[in-house]
Amino acid sequence: MTVTEEIRALKKEKDAVILAHYYAPPEIQEIADYIGDSFYLSRTAAGLNSKTIVFCGVSFMGESAKILNPEKTVLMPDLRADCPMAHMADVEAIRRMRETYEDLAVVCYINSTAELKQHSDVCVTSANAAHIVKALPNRNIFFIPDKNLAHYVAGQVPEKHFVFHDGYCPIHEKMRLQELKEAKAAHPEAEVLSHPECPQAILEQSDYTGSTSGIIHYAAESDREEFIVCTEIGVRWKLEQDNPGKRFYFLKTEPVCQGMKSNTLEKLLHVLRTGENAVEVDPGLMDTSKKPLERMLELANTGTP
Ligand code: 13P
Ligand code: SF4
């Protein structure tokens, strides 16, 4: 049996489903039952019936899946697959802000540890952040940790007062305006699609800004043939799969998330065979960090306020 055949057989035998983020390597996305952005994956994880979830993403994603499904086994091909941004905020800063501002909501980008979620009022992803912030009754918003996403959302919700944190995604933050200008000069007909984790200078030059799903959807709907994509290289697989006639270019310094790339077929097979790498969340954090995640799922479903 090949590795993929064995994975498919074990999946059935163990009543497991495989969830993969768009930044996971192509061969992982190909074998997954569900692929998507971080909002789609957490909503999907919350509604699954199978006994085991194998999450091919980074640790905050596996952790969120476990928090939303305490009774299920959540496995990750590599427990060290991490997102550096998830550790950038700190509880002390949250405490200080709560003392400083009345009528404050702590809005926590899902790319954060369970401990940070525990101290937050609601989680958001890039797909729903503006919608959820608008829906909150509070006027003051402490948005942790991503400064770029926070500024992007603040621009969409001018009626709220934002307090920014200084976190960032090391992969998106590295994107350089000069490289985008070079790509535009080489492909003048291309539309620029960017993720809101990119610095403002990149967003200002973009035709569309949105989550990984948003980018994939936009490219499929657009009648253009060429796109410069400012996000992690993993989205290329789905973009090319969905749009055989279109061409996708990335910036010269290839944006690669090491955590996402540490998901391999061999590791996936290993955890399915052995049941190793089960995600564990401190019992003291389970219920408290679930609340902001559930509030995100609720508020994301409300109509536009
Ligand atoms: P999405 O929510 O758009 O999938 O983004 C997740 C992420 O980690 C971006 O770097
Ligand atoms: Fe985290 Fe950036 Fe990787 Fe997304 S691309 S998982 S934000 S390090």
Side-chain angles (χ1 to χ4, degrees):
M1 260 203 274
T2 65
V3 173
T4 49
E5 283 166 351
E6 208 177 328
I7 290 172
R8 289 205 170 93
L10 280 168
K11 228 171 44 155
K12 256 199 205 142
E13 185 189 315
K14 310 238 165 151
D15 187 24
V17 284
I18 300 173
L19 271 57
H21 189 267
Y22 287 130
Y23 295 161
E27 60 279 13
I28 295 278
Q29 294 190 49
E30 213 161 355
I31 204 164
D33 299 292
Y34 300 93
I35 48 174
D37 69 2
S38 41
F39 177 56
Y40 170 83
L41 292 174
S42 45
R43 204 179 47 188
T44 301
L48 289 172
N49 290 322
S50 51
K51 264 198 338 228
T52 300
I53 297 171
V54 187
F55 211 119
C56 302
V58 288
S59 51
F60 75 82
M61 296 180 175
E63 198 175 58
S64 299
K66 180 68 184 172
I67 292 165
L68 289 165
N69 296 278
E71 74 296 346
K72 289 200 201 321
T73 302
V74 178
L75 306 176
M76 289 186 69
D78 189 332
L79 280 178
R80 291 164 309 175
D82 202 5
C83 166
M85 177 153 59
H87 308 272
M88 286 186 186
D90 63 284
V91 174
E92 202 34 56
I94 297 177
R95 284 211 184 98
R96 271 200 315 274
M97 287 307 155
R98 289 207 190 275
E99 279 164 20
T100 310
Y101 291 95
E102 277 178 25
D103 192 23
L104 180 82
V106 178
V107 175
C108 180
Y109 191 23
I110 196 166
N111 298 40
S112 295
T113 60
E115 197 203 356
L116 290 162
K117 289 185 174 97
Q118 176 186 35
H119 292 277
S120 304
D121 297 298
V122 65
C123 289
V124 295
T125 76
S126 58
N128 58 35
H131 177 88
I132 288 179
V133 168
K134 268 187 203 157
L136 290 171
N138 317 74
R139 191 180 116 67
N140 296 313
I141 305 294
F142 183 34
F143 195 109
I144 58 167
D146 187 7
K147 59 181 178 180
N148 293 323
L149 175 62
H151 277 98
Y152 175 71
V153 175
Q156 318 243 304
V157 196
E159 66 274 23
K160 305 264 172 172
H161 170 249
F162 275 68
V163 183
F164 300 98
H165 194 267
D166 57 3
Y168 56 89
C169 160
I171 288 86
H172 288 82
E173 179 72 3
K174 258 202 302 240
M175 296 204 190
R176 290 286 155 259
L177 182 59
Q178 184 52 34
E179 290 195 6
L180 177 55
K181 283 185 178 160
E182 286 163 17
K184 282 177 109 167
H187 310 288
E189 296 304 315
E191 280 190 300
V192 179
L193 316 180
S194 62
H195 195 280
E197 288 178 11
C198 292
Q200 198 151 354
I202 299 281
L203 301 188
E204 280 165 6
Q205 296 293 318
S206 301
D207 298 290
Y208 172 80
T209 296
S211 73
T212 51
S213 294
I215 289 173
I216 288 163
H217 182 72
Y218 184 93
E221 293 292 305
S222 169
D223 50 19
R224 293 286 183 94
E225 311 248 300
E226 295 183 285
F227 303 88
I228 298 164
V229 183
C230 299
T231 192
E232 210 269 354
I233 195 83
V235 297
R236 171 178 262 154
W237 182 78
K238 182 73 174 143
L239 286 167
E240 291 183 346
Q241 171 105 341
D242 288 358
N243 305 281
K246 299 185 178 179
R247 287 185 297 283
F248 299 96
Y249 311 106
F250 288 74
L251 300 194
K252 198 164 68 192
T253 309
E254 228 177 49
V256 178
C257 174
Q258 293 305 336
M260 291 287 185
K261 299 305 181 250
S262 60
N263 291 287
T264 65
L265 285 179
E266 288 69 25
K267 291 181 195 171
L268 173 54
L269 174 59
H270 181 78
V271 297
L272 272 169
R273 262 196 201 136
T274 62
E276 283 174 17
N277 287 2
V279 176
E280 300 295 344
V281 178
D282 181 330
L285 289 175
M286 264 318 222
D287 283 348
T288 43
S289 56
K290 192 177 189 176
K291 281 197 185 109
L293 279 168
E294 286 182 332
R295 195 162 181 215
M296 170 182 81
L297 296 175
E298 270 160 40
L299 288 177
N301 279 334
T302 58
T304 308

